[in-house]
């Protein structure tokens, strides 16, 4: 699936929720399923420190495709990371580096990626894209 | 005398939370389709219609620059601004309106003192703060200490969140020139014994700065009874506009202090060779001030003058204890800050759950609380937690709101487990 198709799929999954708490219950469940970063890789160079919650991200390239694992100390942040990784995983470095993450706004989670939210997610998206750029230049 | 007191009391409106809420338009809105429950009063307060009307009146009719204009509007705006200064003077019981300096807020006030009074300090002098201070009452002193080679001492607190008196007494020496302490902790709600601290500090010749950001809206303030040398607060936390605040300083001290910033309004005469400075309070108010802010902050205090402060204090203590008692019934939930004397703030953390998650879920249920370190990182380090969830109350909050909040905390915890 392309990055575009996965985003469309997520949007339609979220369409069923008309209550915010149901939506967040789903995000929390996603957080529990996140491909967790190897604890040994939870090092400072993989840490994105937000004012409120912390995010660790590891990026590798396998057979020309990006592979991400991550973790956070807050479970809602983890759920949103889970969504971001689902979109970006197994994609080419080019696709990740130039990704337009329109699904975030469509499913009403844009507040989590606003600069004032300070949960490390903005930094994480930057790092996802940077790692793809590095892979391109390698 | 008795009759006068009785009449004065009768003119004050009886404390009625329903009637008070009607005066705060922001409180009757819906957030995510739920009735707003605003428990972030420690960060900022909502504004009564009286203040909102005054803002509108100022910009739609009275707008003019003050202090120098010969025309009607300028004189009218000047009178309003200076009347506000007097209203505030009377509210906090300052001796003179010359002791009321308008600032941008608490942070600005502390920086003014650190910059200006700091000039009078010399190498080796000590400044004493406490372990429960807001970053605003830490960083300006660190910067001053670096600049002037002074030493910053920190008086520790106990696990209940109270200042340890013996330790404070030990750190207060004849080297201490300034003690800067919060009246009420923004994170813990602890009320510090200011009058006692002032007495001890004065005994060793130190001056005292009181950070009143969290007390001005919750209790009657009498700077002369406290005998503090400086008292600073923000307008927006006491039902006034943002961008305006007050620094109270004893006149004799303010006279001794050099100006903070140079510019218009703060001068008596300027030549290229030499400038003489204006008298108090204008010496510390360079440039066109926040005129609307000052006038409308005056209105906020007029609003408070119409209420029974003693009744408010009792009511706020009652709802704070009500919330704390209910939160205490949750397993795995710890109240952070259990001082004997505390008010209006309940901070808590939940085992295995990040404050950010609870804050996000409460928001989606229409409840505004603050999560994180509350600009008191050293305090979080002391309690060994990343942050807390903080509910902070004002007199317009109700027990029914607290009941809804408790149900929402319960629902959120169940989702997150």
């Amino acid at each position: 699936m392309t990055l575009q198709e996965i985003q469309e799929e997520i949007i339609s999954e979220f369409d069923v929720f008309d209550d915010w708490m149901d939506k967040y219950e789903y995000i929390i469940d996603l957080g529990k399923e996140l491909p967790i970063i190897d604890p040994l890789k939870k090092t400072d160079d993989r840490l994105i420190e937000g004012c409120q919650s912390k995010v660790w991200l590891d990026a590798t390239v396998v057979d020309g495709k990006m592979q991400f694992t991550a973790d956070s100390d807050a479970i809602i942040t983890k759920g949103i990371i889970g969504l971001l990784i689902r979109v970006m995983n197994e994609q080419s470095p080019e696709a990740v580096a130039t990704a337009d993450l329109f699904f975030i706004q469509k499913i009403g989670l844009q507040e989590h990626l606003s600069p004032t939210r300070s949960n490390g997610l903005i930094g994480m998206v930057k790092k996802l894209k940077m790692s793809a750029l590095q892979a391109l230049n390698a | 005398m008795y009759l006068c007191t009785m009449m004065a009391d009768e003119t004050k409106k009886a404390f009625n939370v329903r009637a008070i809420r009607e005066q705060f338009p922001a409180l009757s809105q819906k957030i995510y389709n739920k009735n707003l429950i605003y428990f972030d009063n420690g960060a900022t307060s909502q504004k009564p219609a009286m203040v909102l009307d005054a803002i509108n009146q100022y910009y739609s009719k009275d707008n003019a620059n003050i202090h120098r204009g010969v025309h009607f509007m300028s004189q009218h705006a000047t009178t309003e601004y200076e009347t506000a200064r007097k209203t505030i003077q009377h509210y906090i019981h300052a001796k003179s309106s010359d002791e009321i300096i308008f600032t941008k807020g608490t942070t600005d006030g502390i920086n003014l003192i650190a910059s200006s009074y700091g000039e009078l300090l010399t190498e080796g002098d000590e400044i004493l703060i406490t372990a429960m201070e807001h970053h605003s009452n830490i960083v300006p002193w660190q910067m001053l200490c670096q600049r002037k080679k002074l030493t910053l001492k920190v008086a520790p607190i106990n696990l209940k969140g109270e200042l340890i008196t013996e330790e404070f007494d030990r750190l207060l020496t004849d080297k201490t020139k300034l003690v800067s302490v919060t009246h009420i902790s923004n994170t813990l709600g602890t009320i510090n014994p200011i009058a006692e601290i002032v007495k001890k500090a004065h005994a060793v010749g130190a001056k005292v700065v009181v950070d009143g950001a969290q007390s001005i809206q919750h209790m009657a303030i009498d700077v002369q009874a406290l005998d503090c040398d400086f008292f600073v607060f923000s307008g927006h936390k006491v039902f006034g506009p943002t961008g305006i605040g007050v620094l109270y300083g004893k006149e004799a001290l303010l006279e001794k202090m050099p100006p903070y910033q140079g510019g218009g309004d703060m001068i008596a005469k300027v030549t290229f060779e030499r400038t003489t400075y204006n008298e108090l309070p204008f010496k510390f108010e360079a440039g066109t001030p926040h005129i609307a802010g000052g006038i409308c902050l005056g209105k906020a205090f007029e609003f408070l003058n119409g209420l029974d402060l003693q009744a408010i204090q009792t009511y706020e203590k009652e709802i704070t204890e009500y919330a704390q008692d209910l939160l205490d019934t949750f397993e795995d939930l710890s109240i952070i800050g259990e001082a004997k004397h505390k008010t209006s703030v309940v901070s808590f953390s939940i085992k295995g759950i990040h404050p950010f998650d609870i804050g996000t879920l409460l928001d989606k249920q229409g409840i505004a609380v603050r999560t994180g370190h509350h600009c008191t990182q050293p305090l979080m380090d002391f309690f060994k937690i990343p942050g807390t969830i903080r509910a902070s109350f004002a007199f317009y909050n109700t027990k029914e709101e607290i009941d809804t909040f408790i149900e929402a905390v319960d629902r959120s915890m169940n989702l997150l487990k």
Side-chain angles (χ1 to χ4, degrees):
Chain A
M1 272 168 98
T2 65
L3 209 135
Q4 184 94 7
E5 286 164 348
I6 302 169
Q7 293 194 74
E8 299 287 357
E9 187 181 73
I10 293 172
I11 293 166
S12 66
E13 280 171 22
F14 272 81
D15 263 352
V16 301
F17 303 119
D18 48 13
D19 182 88
W20 277 98
M21 289 300 276
D22 294 340
K23 195 183 279 190
Y24 273 88
E25 191 170 356
Y26 184 57
I27 294 169
I28 290 163
D29 287 341
L30 291 176
K32 292 172 185 163
E33 294 163 12
L34 177 75
I36 289 287
I37 188 170
D38 178 348
L40 291 172
K41 288 186 172 174
K42 276 176 131 180
T43 49
D44 279 354
D45 58 326
R46 292 186 180 89
L47 171 67
I48 304 144
E49 193 140 13
C51 197
Q52 297 250 0
S53 59
K54 294 174 180 174
V55 174
W56 290 266
L57 175 74
D58 183 52
T60 50
V61 189
V62 179
D63 297 334
K65 304 279 184 198
M66 299 301 301
Q67 297 220 331
F68 300 103
T69 53
D71 198 5
S72 172
D73 51 355
I75 193 144
I76 291 173
T77 309
K78 263 168 98 160
I80 298 166
I81 295 171
L83 289 170
L84 287 166
I85 289 187
R86 184 169 144 198
V87 171
M88 308 278 225
N89 232 10
E90 297 294 333
Q91 301 291 336
S92 68
E94 291 94 325
V96 170
T98 59
D100 168 23
L101 299 169
F102 61 88
F103 82 102
I104 291 284
Q105 171 109 24
K106 286 270 191 211
I107 63 175
L109 297 183
Q110 61 275 15
E111 63 182 88
H112 292 285
L113 282 149
S114 89
T116 53
R117 197 69 181 190
S118 308
N119 52 10
L121 279 173
I122 263 206
M124 181 190 156
V125 170
K126 266 189 210 155
K127 202 153 183 182
L128 277 167
K129 293 193 166 195
M130 282 301 291
S131 58
L133 274 175
Q134 276 166 1
L136 274 178
N137 295 329
Chain B
M1 180 65 192
Y2 177 62
L3 193 64
C4 284
T5 316
M6 257 184 36
M7 281 170 70
D9 281 347
E10 268 174 2
T11 59
K12 302 229 181 201
K13 294 168 201 155
F15 183 72
N16 174 339
V17 69
R18 298 283 151 217
I20 284 176
R21 284 180 72 84
E22 279 171 18
Q23 298 182 62
F24 288 82
L27 296 177
S28 57
Q29 63 186 303
K30 286 196 183 288
I31 302 289
Y32 300 112
N33 265 331
K34 304 281 192 315
N35 290 329
L36 165 69
I37 294 179
Y38 187 77
F39 285 172
D40 196 17
N41 294 286
T44 197
S45 61
Q46 297 304 333
K47 319 302 170 199
M50 193 169 156
V51 169
L52 300 173
D53 291 347
I55 294 171
N56 191 30
Q57 162 78 18
Y58 176 78
Y59 283 117
S60 53
K61 192 158 177 281
D62 301 334
N63 174 50
N65 211 334
I66 54 170
H67 292 150
R68 290 172 301 278
V70 293
H71 59 82
F72 176 84
M73 283 170 73
S74 172
Q75 286 172 13
H76 178 66
T78 305
T79 307
E80 293 278 299
Y81 190 70
E82 292 308 321
T83 302
R85 198 190 300 275
K86 286 203 168 66
T87 304
I88 296 163
Q89 174 214 336
H90 294 310
Y91 190 89
I92 67 168
H93 301 279
K95 250 186 217 161
S96 151
S97 62
D98 292 348
E99 297 178 319
I100 305 299
I101 314 290
F102 281 120
T103 63
K104 289 189 285 186
T106 307
T107 301
D108 192 37
I110 294 175
N111 276 281
L112 189 159
I113 301 166
S115 284
S116 171
Y117 190 78
E119 279 306 303
L120 308 177
L121 303 179
T122 49
E123 190 171 342
D125 287 348
E126 292 182 2
I127 296 171
L128 179 57
I129 60 172
T130 80
M132 67 176 92
E133 300 307 322
H134 188 282
H135 294 164
S136 292
N137 200 20
I138 301 173
V139 184
W141 306 121
Q142 284 175 333
M143 290 163 69
L144 172 65
C145 286
Q146 267 184 345
R147 200 171 77 240
K148 303 279 290 184
K149 297 194 172 72
L150 316 177
T151 307
L152 186 64
K153 295 268 167 100
V154 184
I157 59 171
N158 61 26
L159 284 169
K160 283 183 171 174
E162 297 162 323
L163 190 62
I164 304 171
T165 310
E166 300 75 34
E167 290 292 314
F168 177 86
D169 293 351
R170 195 177 56 77
L171 291 167
L172 183 73
T173 68
D174 55 2
K175 280 188 181 168
T176 315
K177 294 294 177 266
L178 209 55
V179 174
S180 193
V181 57
T182 189
H183 199 170
I184 297 182
S185 156
N186 70 311
T187 305
L188 309 171
T190 309
I191 306 172
N192 278 316
I194 296 298
E196 198 183 306
I197 288 172
V198 170
K199 216 177 267 173
K200 288 176 183 169
H202 285 174
V204 299
K207 304 297 181 204
V208 179
V209 181
V210 178
D211 171 354
Q214 298 293 338
S215 63
I216 186 77
Q217 66 278 48
H218 295 301
M219 54 172 69
I221 299 293
D222 185 333
V223 288
Q224 291 189 72
L226 290 173
D227 198 24
C228 56
D229 301 284
F230 300 99
F231 188 96
V232 287
F233 64 86
S234 302
H236 70 94
K237 291 196 206 279
V238 60
F239 317 107
T242 50
I244 188 86
V246 166
L247 156 66
Y248 156 82
K250 282 182 180 166
E251 193 168 348
L253 280 174
L254 293 173
E255 289 288 4
K256 262 203 267 176
M257 288 158 58
Y260 174 43
Q261 292 178 323
D265 237 23
M266 55 76 74
I267 50 93
K269 186 168 173 54
V270 178
T271 65
F272 283 118
E273 290 72 35
R274 185 168 175 270
T275 293
T276 52
Y277 303 124
N278 203 341
E279 57 199 20
L280 288 174
F282 311 112
K283 182 171 93 172
F284 290 107
E285 295 180 358
T288 295
H290 185 1
I291 305 168
I295 294 173
C296 299
L297 180 55
K299 295 291 172 204
F301 281 105
E302 280 177 32
F303 172 78
L304 285 174
N305 277 331
L307 302 173
D308 180 343
L309 284 181
Q310 193 52 50
I312 285 174
Q313 214 172 315
T314 309
Y315 176 75
E316 287 184 345
K317 195 166 166 48
E318 188 184 316
I319 59 171
T320 307
E321 283 169 2
Y322 182 71
Q324 187 156 317
D325 288 348
L326 287 173
L327 284 169
D328 244 347
T329 61
F330 286 93
E331 220 176 295
D332 296 336
L333 186 150
S334 326
I335 305 282
I336 309 294
E338 293 182 290
K340 190 171 168 217
H341 299 289
K342 71 174 276 187
T343 191
S344 33
V345 171
V346 183
S347 252
F348 57 98
S349 63
I350 301 167
K351 201 173 159 195
I353 297 181
H354 198 285
F356 172 82
D357 290 326
I358 292 275
T360 303
L361 294 182
L362 289 177
D363 172 48
K364 297 299 174 282
Q365 296 169 85
I367 300 168
V369 294
R370 184 54 68 109
T371 62
H373 54 62
H374 318 295
C375 294
T376 53
Q377 282 174 354
L379 191 56
M380 296 298 101
D381 293 343
F382 173 74
F383 284 107
K384 298 188 175 65
I385 47 176
T388 75
I389 303 131
R390 181 188 73 179
S392 52
F393 309 111
F395 50 68
Y396 44 60
N397 292 127
T398 66
K399 284 189 180 173
E400 291 76 20
E401 286 181 314
I402 291 170
D403 290 338
T404 310
F405 161 72
I406 293 292
E407 282 167 27
V409 170
D410 189 35
R411 189 175 175 196
S412 308
M413 282 172 70
N414 285 333
L415 275 185
L416 291 163
K417 269 181 185 163

